[in-house]
Amino acid sequence: MTSSPFAGPSAADILAELTELRAGDAPTQGGRVLSYVYDSGLGELDELARDAAELTRPLNALDPTTFPSIAVMERELITFMRRALGGGTSRFGAGGIVGSVTSGGTESCLLAVKTARDLWRAEHPELAEKLARAGKMPRLVTASTVHAAFQKAARMFDLDWDPVPCEPDGTVRVEGFEKKLGADVALVVVSAPAYPNGALDPVAEVASIAKEFGLSCHVDACFGGLALPWWPGLPDWDFRVPGVTSISADLHKFGYAPKGVSVLLHRGRSRHRAQFFATTSWPGYPVVNPTLLGSKPASPLAAAWAITKRLGSDGYAALTASCVRSAETIVREASIIRGLNVWGAPSGPSIALVADTTVPADEQVDPHHLADELATRGFRIQHQPGFTQRNGVRLPHTAHLTITPVTERTLPELVPALRASADAVRGRRQANPRLELLGMQALGYAPKREGGDYRVPSPDMAWRILKIAGAGTKPGGKGSSLPGKLAPLMALAEKLPAPVAEAILIELLARVSEP
């Protein structure tokens, strides 16, 4: 008789433990979490995504010649996306609009930058060599509000991130881009829209100037790529703009697919092929990767493919119309709350709330205190720290709301909760990390060294600082917890030099999952 290979708990016990763990998570449905979660509100779509994902769970999307269903689903998904993003007409020659499915927005952004850098090097070998001899790098030009994935890409692919400063309302001027463009720019990036405030960058104007300079221009529509095509009253921002050379858009956001699936589309086959990695210079199988991953799951692709087929353009239009109504309601209601305002003029499903500094301080509503208070009433919105740009102009600290179709159902509860939370914190000044800073001094830590550079804290020192800010061990000694309220932590992050704040935040996230 063969003995069982199973030495652990029963399957039922393991699933019961997982169920208990999940009970501590923020709800992914119902519209209570207004960031990270993209809920269509349609149970049928969730079931369809689950079933499609399960059918393809064993597949490896590394090789679509072995699993031809992968190629069919990717081809049809790309076809849908290029039509949605203005690239589906016959006027696109030389291969038209082509692209790849990726594991998420960050990978799409990384690949867009890597592709543009490689093309720039091939087109400017002498300039590339000259910059290298001078210890310089080609530049990546974006607005200050571009997604942080592009900073990551610049670090990974040896580019100098050169952001265009925004106005205090979060908008960016075309002239700011124009002043920075030159032969040493490998890529220009514009957002549709910018995640922090929902502002639509001046895509057509910037892409036109980039084209005059002979530069690549990428539109980061990871956030809005499946909402803005049906959002009313917007100027052209997609492949209808001749100077746009690539676009990223996430299916796991307003495509309502499970994490993680995105697309990166290029104008023309030559640009797309520059995205690939291929080698026969090893004794194994020929490796050909269109994305950063080698082996990759097929389930997110299958779920996205199934959802786009079920919804079609008309279905997405209907879901987007719900987002439009909710966004208009929240903008209107927030604007009439004394001491609170909407940051800038959002053009899409992203809204940021900011203190109204035109009223006396004792009547202002601090957005971070508002977010903490709103959490006690069952709704979670996202803290966004203030940011001083390279030109010295400061962008305010805000609270972000992502609007999804299910938001419309929650408005009868969300709007009163927003009003009540504002009333509860009105006049409370922005959190002051004075005690945390004094505690750092007591620990013998000072961010600045003699000579002006910064001393990044060790992991242990960073954790001691975090404990002063309210982080600690969860009840029962199981893992590390976040501070109960995030406003003080955000205020500390704003006060500290960026390298120091980043080291402390790294420690916070690392400790949460550390054994």
Side-chain angles (χ1 to χ4, degrees), residues 117-474:
R117 183 207 62 178
D118 290 354
L119 289 171
W120 180 88
R121 284 178 175 175
E123 294 167 4
H124 303 86
E126 294 181 0
L127 179 54
E129 185 178 346
K130 180 180 178 182
L131 288 175
R133 287 198 305 267
K136 297 181 179 180
M137 300 181 289
R139 289 182 293 132
L140 173 64
V141 175
T142 76
S144 290
T145 47
V146 79
H147 195 279
F150 289 95
Q151 294 186 50
K152 180 187 287 188
R155 295 184 195 181
M156 290 179 66
F157 300 123
D158 295 326
L159 298 174
D160 178 17
W161 180 52
D162 191 8
V164 178
C166 294
E167 301 298 307
D169 66 356
T171 60
V172 61
R173 296 183 181 275
V174 178
E175 296 79 11
F177 276 95
E178 190 170 17
K179 290 176 182 177
K180 288 185 177 289
L181 300 190
D184 65 333
V185 173
L187 180 64
V188 181
V189 180
V190 281
S191 299
Y195 179 87
N197 62 351
L200 178 64
D201 286 351
V203 174
E205 295 87 344
V206 173
S208 176
I209 297 169
K211 189 176 182 183
E212 290 178 11
F213 278 86
L215 304 176
S216 299
C217 181
H218 177 75
V219 176
D220 175 28
C222 285
F223 181 76
L226 279 127
L228 294 197
W230 300 278
W231 204 275
L234 300 182
D236 288 351
W237 57 271
D238 51 20
F239 282 117
R240 291 170 295 176
V241 176
V244 170
T245 55
S246 59
I247 300 179
S248 53
D250 289 358
L251 276 300
H252 64 215
K253 290 189 172 73
F254 290 94
Y256 309 110
K259 308 290 184 186
V261 55
S262 175
V263 296
L264 174 60
L265 302 184
H266 298 278
R267 189 185 295 273
R269 291 194 182 102
S270 295
R271 176 172 290 274
H272 178 233
R273 295 340 183 230
Q275 173 190 306
F276 281 60
F277 168 82
T279 183
T280 57
S281 300
W282 79 309
Y285 62 92
V287 174
V288 183
N289 298 146
T291 58
L292 297 176
L293 300 181
S295 292
K296 54 187 177 182
S299 292
L301 163 65
W305 170 82
I307 288 172
T308 57
K309 289 182 78 71
R310 182 73 177 110
L311 283 176
S313 181
D314 289 346
Y316 279 106
L319 292 174
T320 300
S322 174
C323 295
V324 171
R325 291 190 295 269
S326 295
E328 290 174 345
T329 298
I330 291 172
V331 167
R332 181 179 65 251
E333 294 294 334
S335 298
I336 61 177
I337 293 175
R338 182 71 172 171
L340 190 65
N341 218 332
V342 173
W343 186 30
S347 298
S350 175
I351 296 171
L353 303 179
V354 65
D356 182 0
T357 56
T358 65
V359 302
D362 61 358
E363 296 181 26
Q364 293 176 19
V365 175
D366 179 85
H368 288 180
H369 290 316
L370 176 74
D372 284 340
E373 180 66 26
L374 196 60
T376 69
R377 301 171 191 270
F379 290 95
R380 299 193 187 194
I381 59 178
Q382 195 173 48
H383 302 68
Q384 297 186 140
F387 172 61
T388 300
Q389 304 175 98
R390 293 184 180 180
N391 66 347
V393 173
R394 185 161 181 80
L395 301 180
H397 68 291
T398 61
H400 166 97
L401 293 80
T402 293
I403 310 303
T404 63
V406 77
T407 304
E408 191 167 24
R409 300 181 196 171
T410 70
L411 288 176
E413 295 177 73
L414 174 59
V415 170
L418 195 62
R419 292 181 188 139
S421 297
D423 290 342
V425 303
R426 184 174 290 107
R428 191 183 303 173
R429 304 296 176 93
Q430 180 181 4
N432 186 343
R434 181 178 61 86
L435 292 178
E436 287 83 354
L437 294 172
L438 288 173
M440 290 169 60
Q441 292 179 19
L443 292 172
Y445 173 75
K448 275 205 172 184
R449 296 180 189 269
E450 291 184 12
D453 61 341
Y454 297 111
R455 183 165 64 100
V456 175
S458 68
D460 286 344
M461 177 60 73
W463 182 239
R464 293 170 74 184
I465 294 168
L466 280 165
K467 290 178 76 172
I468 295 172
T473 303
K474 291 181 180 178

